[in-house]
Amino acid sequence: MNIYTLPKGTYSEKATKKFLEYIDGDYNIKYCNSIYDIFESVSNGGLGVVPIENSIEGSVSLTQDLLLQFKNIKILGELSLDIHHNLIGYDKDKIKIIISHPQALAQCRNYIKRHGWEVKAVESTAKAVKIVAESKDENLGAIGSKESAEYYNLKILDKNIEDYKNNKTRFILIGKNVKFKTLPKKYKVSIVFELKEDKPGALYHILKEFAERNINLTRIESRPSKKRLGTYIFYIDFEDSKEDLEEIIKSLKKHTTFINILGRYPVFD
Amino acid sequence: MNIYTLPKGTYSEKATKKFLEYIDGDYNIKYCNSIYDIFESVSNGGLGVVPIENSIEGSVSLTQDLLLQFKNIKILGELSLDIHHNLIGYDKDKIKIIISHPQALAQCRNYIKRHGWEVKAVESTAKAVKIVAESKDENLGAIGSKESAEYYNLKILDKNIEDYKNNKTRFILIGKNVKFKTLPKKYKVSIVFELKEDKPGALYHILKEFAERNINLTRIESRPSKKRLGTYIFYIDFEDSKEDLEEIIKSLKKHTTFINILGRYPVFD
């Protein structure tokens, strides 16, 4: 079987290798150029690994759109990786311009500002490192991963240059089903629904159902519905509890026009 | 003065021209390669226009990160544009592969599936159209804007091919201050805060403050805080009401470790 993810050297590839330690069975890693390609491949079989939150490798809203569109694909598992950025180039004292992905530039903004460097945004951290390597220009520096510096034979001039050290990205395992070797204790449920009424307090009633059952929400996000004007769909993640999931969903249905379970899945550390 | 936005032919440029109809004073449009570059430029003066929701031109989470980082930049106004996708190429009957931005491919997925075409994701819709134009390959089609088809002298083979017709993207005007010629009736407030306690019901108490005042929330989103593990920051937009904003903020402060007003601004139609 195949497990699809983003290209070599990405954090998504790293997350895939981590997932494979927990998965029972033989899987070959196949590399795709986009999150969209991964969903398309997985819809024909196999597994996939994509970023779901605050990532330099893709848009969160795209992953969410695709989870809603590909009804036969479920979330099967989750894990988080620490994201570290490195200054890559030739000679720190000669650098004038820093090149990287916009999200990486944003995450190292104080560091860049302290040095007074100019910035230039490109599509990926890998492309930034490639540009610096091919230009052979000592005035350029890139922000990227350790692996990309090694690949292009460039020096790491500063390690862990991100402004906030608690920089994690969550990745999800997607597919129809999977068997894990061992299971962690922590489980999560992801749901998506549309509120019946666009009026003050509608969401408040939903949260009341969770608060009364003492269930912790770990994420909430609203997005404008594309089907009807002025309505919103909500993505909510919550910790799986001893409460009956069907009973919870039933209680929410009073307030929603539709509700889908995107997955009930283990969270690996 | 300058107003900074994304390159010619983008929806962001279109939104900028629309904003300029409402703005008092003379502004020159300056084009930047990324949302990050726009924020950097605006922090030194002038105005900027960036997408804030569900866009094919940039990451929502990036715009939100930058609004939190650039403390001297406020949201000054908002407007929405209808997004339409077009099939662009040579001959619809000869097409085998469709190229576009992943978000555009996702938004036209049913249309593509109906025709049985393969897909290929690239960084932008403009780049997709460029590839089709330069290849002169009749087997290729791109999904992109009317303007990009005109620019590359290609045919529009099908109009408005998006699966859901209510496809809008919101854009915000950012800067330190601005004078509008006329003001709409509708105002919105955007705030960001961190909850004091990571426990069930913490967010519920926040929403109660809004529900009791009969204030409509138009967006809610949680993001993991980068400063402390296990804590979340929330972005909330709400309709500006007759209630005193300072009083509302004071009532929320009971539940938060910090709270920032990202802007109190008019919403143009």
Side-chain angles (χ1 to χ4, degrees), chain B residues 97-111:
Chain B
I97 300 169
I98 294 292
I99 310 174
S100 199
H101 183 278
Q103 203 101 22
L105 291 170
Q107 289 170 0
C108 303
R109 192 172 160 255
N110 293 341
Y111 172 86

Side-chain angles (χ1 to χ4, degrees), chain A residues 23 40 81 85 105 114 123 156 160 191 218 222 245 249-250:
Chain A
I23 295 173
E40 278 286 346
L81 290 183
H85 295 303
L105 290 171
R114 214 157 49 230
E123 301 99 84
I156 292 180
N160 305 349
I191 58 171
T218 59
S222 69
L245 182 59
I249 299 294
K250 207 180 137 194

Side-chain angles (χ1 to χ4, degrees), chain B residues 28-40:
Chain B
N28 299 312
I29 301 182
K30 298 279 175 188
Y31 299 99
C32 299
N33 282 319
S34 75
I35 294 173
Y36 185 85
D37 290 347
I38 296 172
F39 271 85
E40 278 286 346

